[in-house]
Amino acid sequence: MNIPRVETGPLRLRGKRSLCVLGTAATLFLSAILIAWFGGYRINVTPSEPLGLWRIVKLDRSAKVGDLVFICPPATAAIHEARHHGYLRSGLCLSGVAPLIKTVIAVAGQRVEIGAGITVDGHRVAHSALRHRDGEGRPMTPFGGGIVPAGSVFLHSPFAGSYDSRYFGPVPASGILGLAREVLTHAP
């Protein structure tokens, strides 16, 4: 009995070539991600600031009012609850969330009052109205107000649905990764 011989050489070669192309593409993709990550580039997919590509620029001084910053919030009960409710995305900060892009509206020693909106040292902050319920009808508890402690900043975003210091209070300035700079963004 003769068993026909099947040539498999060309199929093996195509399979190896495909595997090589796929491996090269995966390596290039991962390399691009690592270069972007360590180069300070981040993608914002939240509506708190324009969507798109941002860059973290080193901050060689203390944060001041008006700075738009990338910051890792601390691992507090309020941040844990915000992550649980889906207000903040999971990420690589020690608190388990992604870095936030927020504007510093108060620094150590300034008085923050929370009412219908925020006032800092008696001056009303634009676009700072509070939400009393989230999109699912759950109550949202605002921060109680007070003097921003030493080494801390109070953060805000003009987006009405932003989860910021209105709710979690001042955060340590040591969590600031740097200034936030738009690279390629789109504001819907």
Side-chain angles (χ1 to χ4, degrees), residues 90-111:
S90 294
L92 297 177
C93 292
L94 293 177
S95 57
V97 301
L100 308 177
I101 304 173
K102 303 291 179 196
T103 301
V104 176
I105 62 167
V107 294
Q110 291 189 283
R111 174 172 290 286

Side-chain angles (χ1 to χ4, degrees), residues 105 111-115 117-125 128 154:
I105 62 167
R111 174 172 290 286
V112 175
E113 294 178 16
I114 309 288
I118 301 171
T119 59
V120 176
D121 292 338
H123 301 285
R124 176 118 165 83
V125 175
S128 66
F154 198 87

Side-chain angles (χ1 to χ4, degrees), residues 59-172:
L59 184 61
D60 292 332
R61 56 172 171 71
S62 297
K64 63 182 181 181
V65 172
D67 284 344
L68 183 63
V69 298
F70 271 97
I71 187 165
C72 279
T76 62
I79 297 300
H80 176 73
E81 182 179 345
R83 191 171 135 222
H84 175 73
H85 286 305
Y87 306 153
L88 302 175
R89 293 182 306 120
S90 294
L92 297 177
C93 292
L94 293 177
S95 57
V97 301
L100 308 177
I101 304 173
K102 303 291 179 196
T103 301
V104 176
I105 62 167
V107 294
Q110 291 189 283
R111 174 172 290 286
V112 175
E113 294 178 16
I114 309 288
I118 301 171
T119 59
V120 176
D121 292 338
H123 301 285
R124 176 118 165 83
V125 175
H127 309 290
S128 66
L130 269 75
R131 297 182 82 160
H132 299 286
R133 299 214 172 263
D134 68 11
E136 294 185 20
R138 296 175 294 213
M140 294 185 69
T141 305
F143 169 67
I147 304 291
V148 177
S152 297
V153 293
F154 198 87
L155 307 169
H156 176 260
S157 170
F159 175 66
S162 177
Y163 192 77
D164 53 34
S165 288
R166 288 177 271 196
Y167 307 101
F168 56 73
V171 294

